[in-house]
Amino acid sequence: MALSRPDSARSKTAWSTATHDNEVFQASSFGSGPLDGGFDNGSGSRSGSAKKVRQVEEGNDSCWYKFTEGIKSMWSTRHTVDTKEDKELYIKTTLRELVIYLLFLAVLCALTFGMTSSTMFYYTKVMSELFLDAPFENKNTFRGINHPFDFWRFAEKPLVDGLYWETWYNSRNLTEDERGYIYYESKLLGLPRLRQVRVKNNTCTIDTNFENQLKGCYGPYKGYNEFKGTFGPEGENATGWTFSTSEELDGSKHPGILATYNGGGFVRNLGKKKSESLAIIEDLKSKLWIDRATRAVFVDFTVYNANINLFCVVRLTMEFPATGGAMAASAFRTVKLIRYVSALDYVIMACECLFVLFIIYYSIEEIIEIKEHKLKYFTEFWNVLDIFVLAVSCVCIAFSVYRTIEVNRKLDQLLKQPDEHADFEYLAYWQSQFNNQIAVAVFFAWIKMFKYISFNKTMTQLSVTLSRCRKDLLGFTVMFMIMLISFAQFGNLLFGTEIKDFSTVWNTIFTLFRIILGDFDFYALQRAHLFFGTAYFFLYVFLIFFVLLNMFLAIINDTYSEVKGDETLQENDFEVGDYFKKGYEKMMDKLNFKKDKLTDIQLTLAGADANGDNHLEFSEWRNDLKKKGYGDTEIEAMFAKYDTDGDRILDPEEQRHLAEDLLKQKDSLNQEYAKMAQDAKDGETPAALADLLNSDDESGDTRGIVDDGVPYEEYAVLARRVDRMEHSIGSIVSKIDAVLIKLDTMEKAKTRRRETMSKLLDTIIEGGGDELTDEDRKNQMENLVADELARWDEEAMNSSSSDLGTSSGRPMSGMSMLRSPTSSSKGRDMV
């Protein structure tokens, strides 16, 4: 049956689509009350379906069902949930992914930046200046070493002075407990060590013309020509003169300037005191420990500063190329190997645990997506990036565990053997690699942010621009590489023997890139070759800088202009602001709808007692609420809740309980209104709105699913809408019928008027013949016109008294015009 239209405030929103998306608004949000039973506004004929829904609800309310559904929802993404048809689900899924990923990114940043600080830089700076910039004879420093003899000068003065601090600045000697510290703060762990690698004699080919003149030939260092025997004066069997393998020394390979050297070699540890070390250095120097076969010498030691909990692993390298001379290099690795000491360190440990949980979470997520999409999963760039970040993160986690175990082992070994060399070089090297990997992970983790903000067209300009111009960029890259390689080989052949930046093809390529950025030494080219140096520079600048570089910028600029032009024709996948605004409006609509229900019940409670006996019978209650558009089921549920004695009558006491509950709920609603208004004023998202946006359904504990998978609340809302639409459409149809009848009446009136005017003209022309004078004809015509006007006025008055009469604001009809004196006089003048 069609229900009457709700009155008062409810009538304004009764047919609003946005208002009743989920009209079963639970009273539990504001406390228990008369609306706890729920008003579905459906007819009693739907009670059977409601029972069926409740049966399904009981099955779906089980703890295991809720647990499994909750587990599934934890890994729901845009790749695992079909969001093509449901835009709101797409928004919620995207926002959920974005929030979780922001938490992961925050944990990752806290983890990485908690492992480093500016103190590391200053510690490295202090240590490097102590050993690299301290002068020795001829005011030379370690950085300027270019002769084998310079190494002994450095070892006898800056090296031992930096390693052994035995007096204070006032020349007071340090005690035994105070010794062994660099700068009085950093503990020297174990003994410093000297190690050299050598090559065999006759490891190069000598031309036959010089075979008699050259008695020895020592080629560049290679792994296969490394000398692994014993050398030096006869009877010397010390470690400095006997080869030790990499396994014996627990060493690692070292990439130098000229070659990559193995971890073995000829090793000699320095002493615990300065005098002992000077004696060892003098002994090695006097017995020619460094000779023509030497290709590299390494000075290794490790210091630990307990004030800042940092290790500094130092390696000073002196390479002796086959060309003669010497080349100095150094490596200062400041690392934090002991991870958990201070309170902040334990906070970082908590972040590490969260990081591991996030990696497990995302690993499961990627496995689910791969299982669902198979090989198609790897066709998307962001998915490949996810796998890469996860792989790097897993490697970092594994190394973190290994580092903790290995550091403990090294420290235990050092405590047992304090007079041996503490080799932390290998561990420090991999700690540096760990830092590099985690840096890469952080970089790509930030790049991945574009995946979650790509719903906005502005955020996709970079990717769209590069995607559209990729073919043009590919062609440009081919041209650029041809030109770059040609100039690189040209420059290497011209200047490779005189300028360090052009000494190899790779160095030349990097030098050419630096020229593009404005970093070049034109005068070095000119000194190398006056004509070719000048011509090479100007030709490269003209072709690369002025031509190719501007072509590249033009390609990017034109494509970007096209993308910006197309943006005006595109729509965003969704606007976050609009989404929150819609949620706020939905919440307000729900509050208004609940308030309207409370008002209806209060009015029914106050005015439904027709006989005035202070006892509200069910028939009176039902009739009044039916007029307001409520269904039998909800009317019955509401009445039964407060009819405690079951006599189908609400006595004064029961009515009082109902009125008190209504008043409490109304107060709760007013408080919720005030809270939402205050939150909006403060620029915060109201809590109720946040709950609405974060939940897939606001139906509370009464949520259920009918047989075809439709939620019970949605079924109730749709049923209510159908009833209201039936009533509304019936009213509209009746009005349309009335309008059609009126139009038909007006059409008939027009036809009669035409016929009347024709008769008048015929009567005037034919009536009376020639015997009538003009005055008589004029009087006759006036009488006929007056009679017709009087008849029209009578019809107009009858029409205006009907329900569809003309309103005062509308334009005058033809009948009104004829009734006016002006129209009558115009009619007479016309005749």
Side-chain angles (χ1 to χ4, degrees):
M1 59 177 293
L3 302 176
S4 59
R5 180 178 177 177
D7 51 7
S8 71
R10 298 177 72 253
S11 63
K12 299 178 182 179
T13 57
W15 288 273
S16 173
T17 302
T19 305
H20 307 294
D21 287 342
N22 288 304
E23 293 199 41
V24 185
F25 192 79
Q26 294 303 309
S28 58
S29 302
F30 307 97
S32 61
L35 298 186
D36 287 350
F39 275 54
D40 60 0
N41 207 26
S43 61
S45 62
R46 292 193 293 270
S47 59
S49 299
K51 292 180 180 178
K52 188 180 297 185
V53 170
R54 295 190 188 98
Q55 293 175 357
V56 179
E57 286 178 8
E58 295 175 358
N60 292 342
D61 284 341
S62 63
C63 295
W64 177 250
Y65 175 81
K66 292 181 178 179
F67 175 76
T68 54
E69 289 298 317
I71 293 297
K72 290 180 181 178
S73 63
M74 288 178 59
W75 284 279
S76 60
T77 65
R78 289 174 292 177
H79 294 286
T80 59
V81 178
D82 187 8
T83 59
K84 295 181 180 179
E85 302 298 332
D86 192 342
K87 189 174 182 180
E88 185 170 353
L89 179 60
Y90 174 79
I91 296 173
K92 290 182 178 180
T93 304
T94 302
L95 290 179
R96 188 189 65 82
E97 288 186 70
L98 179 60
V99 170
I100 294 177
Y101 188 74
L102 287 176
L103 293 176
F104 166 74
L105 197 58
V107 170
L108 179 60
C109 291
L111 171 65
T112 53
F113 288 99
M115 296 188 303
T116 183
S117 67
S118 58
T119 307
M120 290 184 171
F121 166 75
Y122 292 117
Y123 193 29
T124 303
K125 180 176 180 293
V126 167
M127 297 300 297
S128 62
E129 289 177 349
L130 176 63
F131 292 98
L132 303 185
D133 297 331
F136 48 89
E137 294 181 18
N138 300 327
K139 296 183 179 180
N140 198 3
T141 64
F142 179 83
R143 302 179 194 270
I145 290 178
N146 55 14
H147 190 277
F149 187 59
D150 289 338
F151 171 77
W152 297 115
R153 293 173 178 172
F154 166 76
E156 292 172 342
K157 182 63 177 174
L159 179 62
V160 294
D161 288 347
L163 289 174
Y164 303 100
W165 293 59
E166 298 181 347
T167 60
W168 285 96
Y169 53 84
N170 61 356
S171 300
R172 183 178 69 84
N173 292 330
L174 297 175
T175 64
E176 287 295 328
D177 294 337
E178 293 175 335
R179 291 184 178 184
Y181 290 87
I182 297 177
Y183 277 122
Y184 313 110
E185 298 291 347
S186 298
K187 177 66 176 176
L188 180 63
L189 302 180
L191 300 178
R193 185 174 70 183
L194 301 180
R195 177 173 66 93
Q196 75 157 302
V197 293
R198 302 171 62 86
V199 294
K200 303 174 184 177
N201 192 7
N202 298 322
T203 53
C204 53
T205 303
I206 302 176
D207 187 81
T208 55
N209 295 320
F210 295 95
E211 286 181 351
N212 296 328
Q213 286 77 16
L214 300 177
K215 301 300 181 181
C217 177
Y218 299 90
Y221 177 86
K222 302 292 182 181
Y224 56 83
N225 64 8
E226 181 179 5
F227 179 69
K228 299 180 180 179
T230 301
F231 75 105
E234 295 182 3
E236 289 288 348
N237 294 320
T239 56
W241 309 91
T242 304
F243 180 81
S244 299
T245 64
S246 178
E247 290 75 16
E248 293 173 346
L249 299 177
D250 196 18
S252 59
K253 292 185 177 182
H254 176 80
I257 301 175
L258 302 175
T260 298
Y261 303 96
N262 291 327
F266 301 85
V267 174
R268 183 67 184 269
N269 292 337
L270 299 181
K272 296 182 66 175
K273 297 181 179 179
K274 184 176 182 179
S275 57
E276 296 175 0
S277 298
L278 285 173
I280 293 172
I281 292 173
E282 182 63 28
D283 179 67
L284 294 176
K285 175 183 175 183
S286 62
K287 295 178 179 179
L288 203 62
W289 191 62
I290 299 176
D291 57 13
R292 290 181 61 193
T294 303
R295 286 295 170 259
V297 174
F298 304 95
V299 181
D300 295 312
F301 59 92
T302 302
V303 294
Y304 172 68
N305 192 313
N307 300 332
I308 53 179
N309 188 30
L310 291 177
F311 289 81
C312 186
V313 182
V314 182
R315 169 165 287 181
L316 304 177
T317 306
M318 185 72 61
E319 296 184 63
F320 302 95
T323 59
M327 302 175 64
S330 61
F332 291 81
R333 294 190 174 97
T334 301
V335 292
K336 188 175 183 178
L337 297 178
I338 303 177
R339 300 302 307 280
Y340 312 116
V341 176
S342 64
L344 181 60
D345 293 336
Y346 286 100
V347 173
I348 300 302
M349 182 176 69
C351 291
E352 290 176 345
C353 296
L354 290 177
F355 178 74
V356 173
L357 293 178
F358 271 114
I359 294 303
I360 295 174
Y361 171 83
Y362 280 114
S363 298
I364 296 175
E365 180 180 291
E366 300 306 318
I367 291 173
I368 293 174
E369 293 182 0
I370 293 174
K371 182 179 179 182
E372 182 170 343
H373 298 282
K374 302 298 187 298
L375 294 178
K376 186 179 178 182
Y377 169 87
F378 296 97
T379 60
E380 187 175 343
F381 168 75
W382 298 115
N383 294 336
V384 176
L385 183 61
D386 290 340
I387 297 296
F388 176 77
V389 173
L390 287 176
V392 172
S393 301
C394 291
V395 171
C396 292
I397 292 172
F399 175 79
S400 183
V401 175
Y402 165 77
R403 175 195 56 213
T404 303
I405 298 174
E406 187 66 15
V407 168
N408 292 333
R409 187 185 68 84
K410 288 280 187 183
L411 293 178
D412 291 340
Q413 181 181 356
L414 179 64
L415 293 175
K416 294 178 181 178
Q417 300 174 339
D419 295 335
E420 295 293 333
H421 172 69
D423 187 8
F424 285 86
E425 172 62 28
Y426 180 76
L427 200 59
Y429 170 77
W430 283 108
Q431 175 65 33
S432 300
Q433 300 306 311
F434 169 80
N435 294 338
N436 296 338
Q437 292 178 14
I438 205 71
V440 171
V442 172
F443 172 76
F444 284 108
W446 277 105
I447 295 297
K448 188 183 171 183
M449 279 291 296
F450 285 102
K451 173 183 178 181
Y452 298 105
I453 62 175
S454 60
F455 54 79
N456 189 286
K457 60 186 179 184
T458 305
M459 300 299 177
T460 59
Q461 290 180 0
L462 175 63
S463 59
V464 174
T465 300
L466 295 178
S467 176
R468 289 195 181 184
C469 65
R470 62 181 182 275
K471 293 183 179 179
D472 294 333
L473 288 179
L474 181 61
F476 170 82
T477 303
V478 173
M479 292 188 297
F480 180 79
M481 292 305 299
I482 292 174
M483 297 293 294
L484 184 68
I485 293 174
S486 63
F487 273 101
Q489 294 183 354
F490 186 27
N492 175 248
L493 295 174
L494 284 177
F495 316 112
T497 58
E498 299 183 45
I499 303 177
K500 179 181 178 181
D501 292 338
F502 291 85
S503 58
T504 65
V505 175
W506 281 112
N507 287 345
T508 305
I509 290 176
F510 289 120
T511 302
L512 294 179
F513 276 111
R514 288 166 51 195
I515 292 177
I516 295 177
L517 299 176
D519 180 15
F520 55 87
D521 188 356
F522 171 74
Y523 294 105
L525 295 175
Q526 201 173 43
R527 286 193 298 270
H529 200 291
L530 181 62
F531 173 75
F532 280 111
T534 304
Y536 178 87
F537 177 79
F538 283 104
L539 184 62
Y540 176 78
V541 169
F542 175 76
L543 292 178
I544 301 296
F545 190 80
F546 289 108
V547 178
L548 289 182
L549 185 60
N550 282 281
M551 286 178 59
F552 173 76
L553 297 177
I555 292 172
I556 299 295
N557 186 58
D558 291 346
T559 308
Y560 180 74
S561 299
E562 293 178 4
V563 172
K564 289 290 289 183
D566 293 343
E567 268 191 9
T568 57
L569 305 178
Q570 298 175 356
E571 293 184 358
N572 293 330
D573 290 347
F574 67 89
E575 290 288 355
V576 178
D578 293 342
Y579 174 64
F580 282 100
K581 182 179 179 182
K582 181 181 177 182
Y584 182 81
E585 292 175 351
K586 184 186 293 186
M587 174 59 68
M588 294 302 298
D589 290 337
K590 287 179 176 293
L591 293 177
N592 291 333
F593 185 66
K594 183 174 177 65
K595 187 175 181 180
D596 292 340
K597 287 182 177 181
L598 291 173
T599 303
D600 289 342
I601 297 174
Q602 286 178 329
L603 293 176
T604 299
L605 187 62
D609 187 10
N611 52 16
D613 58 354
N614 291 332
H615 286 73
L616 184 59
E617 299 178 0
F618 177 73
S619 59
E620 296 171 334
W621 170 275
R622 179 180 180 278
N623 292 335
D624 193 83
L625 288 179
K626 288 288 285 185
K627 293 177 181 179
K628 293 181 172 64
Y630 295 96
D632 290 332
T633 304
E634 55 189 345
I635 293 173
E636 176 70 29
M638 176 60 61
F639 192 87
K641 181 175 182 179
Y642 288 92
D643 184 19
T644 56
D645 53 10
D647 59 354
R648 309 290 286 177
I649 297 175
L650 294 179
D651 57 30
E653 182 65 19
E654 294 170 340
Q655 294 182 43
R656 185 179 64 81
H657 286 308
L658 176 57
E660 289 177 355
D661 288 347
L662 289 172
L663 185 60
K664 290 179 181 178
Q665 271 212 4
K666 204 161 189 178
D667 291 341
S668 299
L669 278 174
N670 292 333
Q671 293 176 6
E672 188 68 17
Y673 272 116
K675 186 175 183 302
M676 292 182 67
Q678 183 63 33
D679 290 342
K681 182 179 179 181
D682 297 339
E684 301 176 356
T685 302
L689 174 58
D691 294 340
L692 179 68
L693 293 173
N694 294 332
S695 62
D696 293 331
D697 206 340
E698 291 80 18
S699 53
D701 295 337
T702 63
R703 179 171 62 184
I705 302 176
V706 295
D707 292 340
D708 59 353
V710 179
Y712 171 69
E713 291 79 5
E714 184 176 349
Y715 163 77
V717 170
L718 292 176
R720 186 169 187 172
R721 288 183 181 175
V722 169
D723 288 343
R724 289 184 173 178
M725 288 177 64
E726 288 177 355
H727 172 71
S728 179
I729 291 174
S731 176
I732 294 173
V733 169
S734 62
K735 291 180 180 180
I736 292 175
D737 291 340
V739 171
L740 292 176
I741 293 173
K742 182 63 178 177
L743 292 175
D744 185 56
T745 303
M746 292 175 65
E747 186 66 27
K748 291 179 179 178
K750 289 180 181 179
T751 302
R752 288 199 301 271
R753 289 168 191 155
R754 292 192 190 98
E755 293 175 355
T756 303
M757 292 300 296
S758 298
K759 291 179 181 179
L760 286 174
L761 294 175
D762 293 341
T763 303
I764 294 170
I765 294 171
E766 297 175 359
D770 296 335
E771 64 275 8
L772 293 177
T773 63
D774 292 339
E775 186 66 26
D776 294 335
R777 291 178 178 175
K778 181 178 179 181
N779 292 334
Q780 183 181 8
M781 184 179 66
E782 289 179 353
N783 292 332
L784 292 173
V785 171
D787 293 339
E788 187 63 24
L789 289 175
R791 188 170 63 81
W792 288 0
D793 288 341
E794 183 179 356
E795 292 179 358
M797 291 177 65
N798 294 335
S799 175
S800 62
S801 62
S802 63
D803 292 337
L804 297 176
T806 305
S807 64
S808 60
R810 294 179 181 177
M812 285 194 300
S813 64
M815 294 178 291
S816 301
M817 293 174 62
L818 288 173
R819 287 201 310 270
S820 65
T822 305
S823 63
S824 300
S825 62
K826 287 183 178 179
R828 295 188 184 95
D829 295 341
M830 177 186 68
V831 176

